[in-house]
Amino acid sequence: MEEEAHAKPKKAMPRQCCVCNQRRAALKRPKTLDQICKECFYEVFEEEIHQDIVENQLFKPGERIAIGASGGKDSTVLAYVLSELNRRHNYGLDLFLLSVDEGITGYRDDSLETVKRNEIQYGLPLKVVSYKDLYGWTMDEIVKMIGLKNNCTFCGVFRRQALDRGAAMLKVDKVATGHNADDIAETVLLNILRGDIARLSRCTAITTGIYSPNAYRGFAREFIKDLERIRPRAILDIIKSGEDFRISTSTKMPEQGTCERCGYISSQKWCKACVLLEGLNRGLPKLGIGRSRGLNTDRNKDVKEISVAKSIESKQCGTLDF
């Protein structure tokens, strides 16, 4: 009896895959709670993407599609899946890889090598656009001037515009970008925190426009990870909440126009990228970022930068050769 009392509890036997009923399950899907083997997961995952493409009529035969390729997991999976499904189901798409080189030593170099391997593996033409060529600045050079505190503002604004400019160079019809469930849940949460109801109404859509950078994303990411540890399905529940929100018809997005300086999409006379770039070129790197505590030590300079920012956003200007 004593030996039985101290006996170690037996481990539960691994369950069989609920799809093939042959191989052992390798994972449990939060979406369906199905226990599934690796091989069946690949098949189910690819078939679900195919069904989403067909049901939402995402592509038309003959369209040119740029795949935003960073070299990370999400974009690499997207490149593989789209190239495979295009071949398997005969979508008739011309696919391209589009990468942005921000000019960050030791960071983008390795990931661009991954993208170049993808170019060979999947047989997709690759276009790389760089901050240096587009804006005359690398992120390393920007960080030397602005410091680490606000560098993400520059990188986020420039990167979104660089993707669009690369797409224009390739003359593509659409840009496909890879996002996982965490990304979408973060965006839903951010729009709720910011009270941005207009963007909340479309942030879970399968096709989207351009979104502004969010200073809260790091906080939202940590918060979502904490929720996931308590309840794995929390991420999908947040996305479902975003999909089910009823938004008043009177809620409108800002009207989109074009930047008077570069012609890029903007709701102001100058787009954010041009305002930031003007600040860099004038030696006023905090221009367009907003007032910060660091400026309080030099009040005259602070006032000067704010006044210049107002004049830049209101005056007419020529065209930049990007």
Side-chain angles (χ1 to χ4, degrees):
M1 292 293 292
E2 186 176 346
E3 291 180 357
E4 292 180 4
H6 291 87
K8 294 182 179 179
K10 293 182 179 180
K11 292 183 179 179
M13 292 293 292
R15 295 191 179 184
Q16 296 294 97
C17 171
C18 67
V19 176
C20 67
N21 292 317
Q22 295 179 0
R23 293 177 288 266
R24 289 182 178 180
L27 58 93
K28 184 177 182 179
R29 300 188 67 194
K31 181 178 180 180
T32 62
L33 302 182
D34 290 338
Q35 300 206 32
I36 190 170
C37 68
K38 181 174 66 174
E39 293 79 3
C40 287
F41 172 75
Y42 292 155
E43 294 178 10
V44 170
F45 178 71
E46 292 171 8
E47 180 59 24
E48 286 181 359
I49 294 175
H50 171 62
Q51 292 302 322
D52 281 340
I53 289 173
V54 172
E55 291 172 8
N56 293 279
Q57 300 179 342
L58 293 186
F59 307 120
K60 297 177 182 177
E63 283 188 324
R64 294 167 63 88
I65 308 298
I67 300 170
S70 67
K73 298 186 293 295
D74 296 339
S75 65
T76 300
V77 170
L78 177 65
Y80 164 76
V81 170
L82 276 187
S83 60
E84 174 64 21
L85 294 181
N86 187 43
R87 178 194 61 79
R88 186 187 304 170
H89 297 287
N90 194 26
Y91 293 158
L93 305 176
D94 289 328
L95 299 175
F96 302 84
L97 296 176
L98 175 58
S99 292
V100 177
D101 182 3
E102 301 94 338
I104 306 174
T105 304
Y107 168 71
R108 186 53 71 197
D109 301 339
D110 291 341
S111 56
L112 283 177
E113 287 303 313
T114 299
V115 174
K116 291 174 183 177
R117 287 197 297 271
N118 293 341
E119 176 187 15
I120 298 171
Q121 288 173 321
Y122 309 140
L124 302 178
L126 170 63
K127 174 71 176 177
V128 180
V129 293
S130 71
Y131 283 8
K132 188 67 174 179
D133 291 339
L134 294 177
Y135 310 116
W137 293 78
T138 67
M139 275 308 299
D140 283 348
E141 293 168 342
I142 292 172
V143 168
K144 285 182 181 178
M145 178 173 281
I146 191 68
L148 293 174
K149 184 175 181 181
N150 294 304
N151 67 88
C152 288
T153 298
F154 286 86
C155 198
V157 171
F158 286 172
R159 182 175 177 77
R160 271 179 286 276
Q161 192 178 107
L163 277 174
D164 273 14
R165 293 193 180 283
M169 293 176 191
L170 290 171
K171 298 180 179 179
V172 299
D173 300 290
K174 294 167 184 170
V175 177
T177 55
H179 300 283
N180 56 44
D182 288 27
D183 297 331
I184 307 301
E186 286 168 15
T187 304
V188 172
L189 186 58
L190 285 168
N191 287 326
I192 292 173
L193 291 174
R194 295 173 59 210
D196 198 338
I197 303 303
R199 284 189 172 85
L200 179 61
S201 66
R202 71 176 192 177
C203 68
T204 58
I206 196 167
T207 56
T208 62
I210 297 170
Y211 294 92
S212 299
N214 297 289
Y216 304 134
R217 187 167 289 274
F219 161 75
R221 183 174 295 117
E222 290 300 317
F223 178 64
I224 286 172
K225 286 301 180 185
D226 288 341
L227 289 177
E228 186 183 24
R229 280 189 283 270
I230 300 170
R231 186 169 183 268
R233 193 179 164 77
I235 290 175
L236 296 177
D237 290 341
I238 290 174
I239 296 173
K240 186 68 166 57
S241 297
E243 293 172 339
D244 291 346
F245 266 111
R246 290 185 178 182
I247 308 299
S248 171
T249 55
S250 62
T251 302
K252 304 292 184 182
M253 288 287 295
E255 291 187 12
Q256 295 291 349
T258 55
C259 172
E260 292 182 354
R261 185 171 186 179
C262 70
Y264 180 69
I265 288 176
S266 176
S267 58
Q268 306 295 328
K269 288 188 176 183
W270 277 37
C271 70
K272 187 70 171 178
C274 282
V275 173
L276 293 174
L277 190 60
E278 181 72 8
L280 289 173
N281 292 332
R282 288 192 178 205
L284 301 171
K286 291 184 172 61
L287 191 67
I289 293 177
R291 188 168 183 170
S292 66
R293 292 179 182 178
L295 294 176
N296 291 336
T297 57
D298 190 345
R299 185 174 180 81
N300 291 333
K301 183 180 178 183
D302 187 6
V303 173
K304 179 182 178 182
E305 291 193 12
I306 291 174
S307 63
V308 171
K310 289 181 179 178
S311 66
I312 283 178
E313 291 175 352
S314 62
K315 75 174 185 178
Q316 295 186 349
C317 22
T319 301
L320 285 178
D321 293 324
F322 281 125

